[in-house]
Each structure stands twice: as C-alpha cells, then as structure tokens.
Amino acid sequence: MEINLISDTVTRPTKEMLAAMMHAKVGDDVFGDDPTVNELQVKVATMFGMEAALFFPSGTMANQVAIKLHTQPGDKMYCDKYAHVYNFEGGGAAFNSGVTCSLLNGKRGMFTAMQLKQALTDKGNIHLPYSSLVCIENTTNKGGGACWDFEELKKIKHVCEENELKYHLDGARLFNALVAKNESPKQYGALFDTISICLSKGLGAPVGSVLMGSKLDMQKASRIRKLFGGGMRQAGYLAAAAIYALDNNVERLVQDHEKAKDLAAVLTECDFVKHVEPVETNIVIFTIQDDIDNDFFIAKMKEKNIFFIGMGEGKLRMVTHLDYTDEMHQKCIDILRGF
Ligand SMILES: *Cc1c(COP(=O)(O)O)cnc(C)c1O
C-alpha cells in the first residue's frame, strides 16, 4: 500500500466523478459555447457573490493572469515571503508581467495590515516601482495550511482602498479555510478584486482552477488567458469534475484536517522530530533533528511506502487528502511511532 502525502493534488477521480465527466455536455469554450464550463463559472461566481468567473487549466495560470490583469510592466506587487506567486510559479510575475515582488516578512505566510502600510512606497516618486497590487494566500501553503484572521484581511483591504491597490486572493486551498473557520465564500467575494480557487487540490478534481472577479475584469482575463495559451476547447469534461467536486467534496475536508492534526500530534511525540508547526487544516510542516539528513529521512520513509517532500529551508511537509484512507492513516501513524 502506497501512502502518498506529497500533496493533495495526487488524488484520482472516483467512479462517480468519472461518470459525471463522461456524461458532460460539451462545446467549444474558446467560443464560450461549452455549457458545462459555463455552468461551473456561473456556479462559482454565484457561490462567492462575484459577477463572473473563468475556468483555468491550473492555479498558477489563474494567479498569473490575475497579476497581469492588475499590473503594468515595471509595477510592484506586495506578497508574503512564503507566497506561492513568488516562490512556486517559476518567477512568472517577472516573466509574464514584468512585475517586481515586495516581500513582506509575515508569520506562517501571513502579514499584517501594519506591515503592508509600512512597506508601501510613494507612488508619486518616479525612482520607485509603481505599487499596484497586493496578493494574499489562504490557506498558506509554505506557511503550513494556516488560515488568515478575516479581520486582518479587512484591514488590509482598507489599506488597499486608501492606496488604490488591487487585492488578489490566491485561494488554491480557500475551501480548507472556509471549512476550518466556518466562513462563507460570499465574505471573501465581497472583499477581493479577484480570487483564484483550485478544484484539483483538496476537492479532488483531476484538473482545473477558477478565477473570479468583476465582469469587466473577467472579460480582460479571458483575453489574457488566451494570450497565455490557456483557452481550452471541450473543457466541459473537466468542468464536470469540478462541479462534482464542489457538490460532494467540500464538507468532507474536515476529515483531512482531523487526520493532519493526528499526524502532527504523533510527530510531536517522536524524538527525531525537532519542531511541528501548528496544524489548522490539511498541511503538516515539521523539521527533524539536525543530526538527521532530510533526504535520508525522506528516503527511509519511502522504503516504508510513505511519500512526502521537503519545502526548502529544512521544512518537511505532509498533506492529507481524499485518497488518504483511514487504513493508510493508521499504518502511517504506526510507522512514524516505530521509526
Ligand atoms: C497549488 C497552488 C497553486 C496553483 O497550483 P497549480 O499546480 O498550478 O494548480 C497556487 N497557489 C497555491 C498556494 C497553491 O498551493
């Protein structure tokens, strides 16, 4: 039995999801004619109370199109030093949009409105890159699945409004935060200019992300998506999986969160473990004692059929998900305890 905790992206579609895909009505989405893609877009926009939504092949592309949408080459965007848009999108902000990132020194991927305020530079000074965008991530990936305090997000919004900055949410795992904190999609829809969500993470679809925002912004985003090569044809087969995921796999995220908390508790008791980050959702980040090499530890666990990865800076990460069963969970706990 292979226990894969590398990411919540490793899930495979269930029979029921595959059936939904097989029966999807499709058309050419580049012409706006795919009824299932249209259904998904309306469903997501309505859920978040936003005007419009667009289906994307990946979360990276959804974020990159949002950055392009909100900036001009030479501009500056603000994000946490752990941000996916900065660390894990291949330098896309610079490559695709010619944008500089100003990194904020947050905690677990989350900065404060005060930190943002202090980092802001004068838009009138021609020496300085022009500030145009703030991007936050909820839950934070490299921050260990941490959830933002909604009040802080509102304060950041206020800073954005005062300084004419656009506000983008990388919500690859937003549903984990919504479930963990009992928040509603509409709260978020009311706060941000654009939001990206992933269906291919904890929700278990094989492919797909959605970007949402105003109708005008999504018209522009549609053009940029085409420019970036992300216009898809009979994408309804994929949108059907996304619709199935939204209808069936949101509430069950609590189970992933419980399992992650169990793993954190077990790791905390292991003497080879140095530190375990607090767990709020489905990501466990931990470090091991200095005299054990990370790659050696990963390889040893691999021999026991447990797969996970490092996140840089000595951090190791385990992610729970839909395909991580109760049986695997028990086995994983036993192996960790016996290591
Ligand atoms: C996974 C992820 C994305 C997008 O990833 P894709 O693999 O391109 O779909 C964006 N932001 C965060 C925080 C993520 O974890």
Side-chain angles (χ1 to χ4, degrees):
M1 180 167 55
E2 199 170 277
I3 301 177
N4 193 340
L5 298 168
I6 285 176
S7 175
D8 45 8
T9 55
V10 301
T11 56
R12 299 190 186 152
T14 56
K15 275 201 189 80
E16 293 77 16
M17 185 182 275
L18 285 170
M21 295 169 76
M22 293 287 283
H23 294 112
K25 288 199 183 73
V26 298
D28 189 334
D29 183 53
V30 174
F31 293 101
D33 286 340
D34 188 301
T36 312
V37 170
N38 291 338
E39 183 189 333
L40 171 67
Q41 291 174 167
V42 169
K43 184 182 178 76
V44 172
T46 307
M47 185 184 280
F48 282 81
M50 294 186 98
E51 281 178 13
L54 266 187
F55 189 46
F56 278 82
S58 74
T60 297
M61 193 190 279
N63 284 335
Q64 289 300 319
V65 166
I67 293 168
K68 183 78 192 148
L69 172 73
H70 295 310
T71 61
Q72 292 297 321
D75 284 2
K76 179 163 65 175
M77 63 179 262
Y78 296 85
C79 62
D80 189 89
K81 66 180 188 294
Y82 281 179
H84 195 279
V85 288
Y86 173 71
N87 290 287
F88 302 121
E89 299 189 4
F95 187 89
N96 298 314
S97 302
V99 163
T100 300
C101 292
S102 176
L103 300 182
L104 299 169
N105 190 18
K107 287 202 178 76
R108 305 184 68 214
M110 302 175 291
F111 52 88
T112 63
M114 187 53 80
Q115 280 180 300
L116 172 63
K117 221 169 170 168
Q118 284 167 352
L120 289 179
T121 47
D122 180 6
K123 283 186 167 182
N125 183 336
I126 58 158
H127 296 88
L128 308 175
Y130 188 83
S131 300
S132 49
L133 172 64
V134 174
C135 179
I136 73 109
E137 187 175 313
N138 199 18
T139 66
T140 64
N141 182 347
K142 198 172 173 179
C147 306
W148 283 76
D149 171 13
F150 196 76
E151 290 308 309
E152 199 62 42
L153 293 178
K154 286 204 279 196
K155 286 183 197 160
I156 292 173
K157 166 77 172 180
H158 190 65
V159 176
C160 291
E161 280 172 343
E162 279 179 343
N163 295 279
E164 289 179 26
L165 297 163
K166 297 292 180 179
Y167 197 19
H168 174 68
L169 165 59
D170 175 355
R173 294 190 180 82
L174 182 59
F175 283 96
N176 293 84
L178 296 180
V179 166
K181 301 205 63 183
N182 205 12
E183 293 169 337
S184 77
K186 287 199 172 67
Q187 271 174 266
Y188 283 82
L191 208 58
F192 288 91
D193 292 297
T194 47
I195 300 177
S196 64
I197 56 163
C198 286
L199 289 317
S200 57
K201 297 254 162 97
L203 300 188
V207 177
S209 287
V210 172
L211 180 70
M212 58 200 120
S214 72
K215 212 167 156 185
L216 183 62
D217 274 349
M218 290 308 102
Q219 276 165 7
K220 291 182 189 164
S222 170
R223 173 175 276 278
I224 302 167
R225 184 184 64 178
K226 184 71 180 136
L227 169 71
F228 284 8
M232 296 188 285
R233 302 295 179 179
Q234 284 72 37
Y237 294 115
L238 300 174
I243 292 169
Y244 182 91
L246 286 169
D247 288 342
N248 295 280
N249 294 342
V250 175
E251 274 87 36
R252 63 150 306 284
L253 290 170
V254 288
Q255 298 167 28
D256 298 345
H257 300 175
E258 278 164 18
K259 287 195 178 94
K261 280 176 190 155
D262 290 346
L263 289 177
V266 171
L267 285 166
T268 305
E269 287 168 15
C270 294
D271 52 12
F272 59 88
V273 171
K274 188 163 149 191
H275 175 71
V276 186
E277 294 276 315
V279 170
E280 288 179 73
T281 56
N282 69 329
I283 301 179
V284 186
I285 288 191
F286 63 102
T287 55
I288 54 174
Q289 301 298 354
D290 296 336
D291 55 348
I292 314 170
D293 181 59
N294 269 357
D295 292 337
F296 171 82
F297 178 61
I298 290 171
K300 279 289 158 196
M301 292 294 279
K302 207 173 191 172
E303 281 172 20
K304 297 184 191 298
N305 267 325
I306 297 181
F307 298 81
F308 58 94
I309 52 171
M311 290 293 282
E313 298 167 45
K315 292 174 192 287
L316 296 170
R317 186 185 79 164
M318 290 179 170
V319 188
T320 58
H321 52 77
L322 193 59
D323 288 2
Y324 177 60
T325 62
D326 291 344
E327 193 192 349
M328 292 176 189
H329 188 47
Q330 195 50 56
K331 195 166 166 218
C332 186
I333 287 172
D334 292 344
I335 289 171
L336 284 172
R337 286 209 168 114
F339 189 81

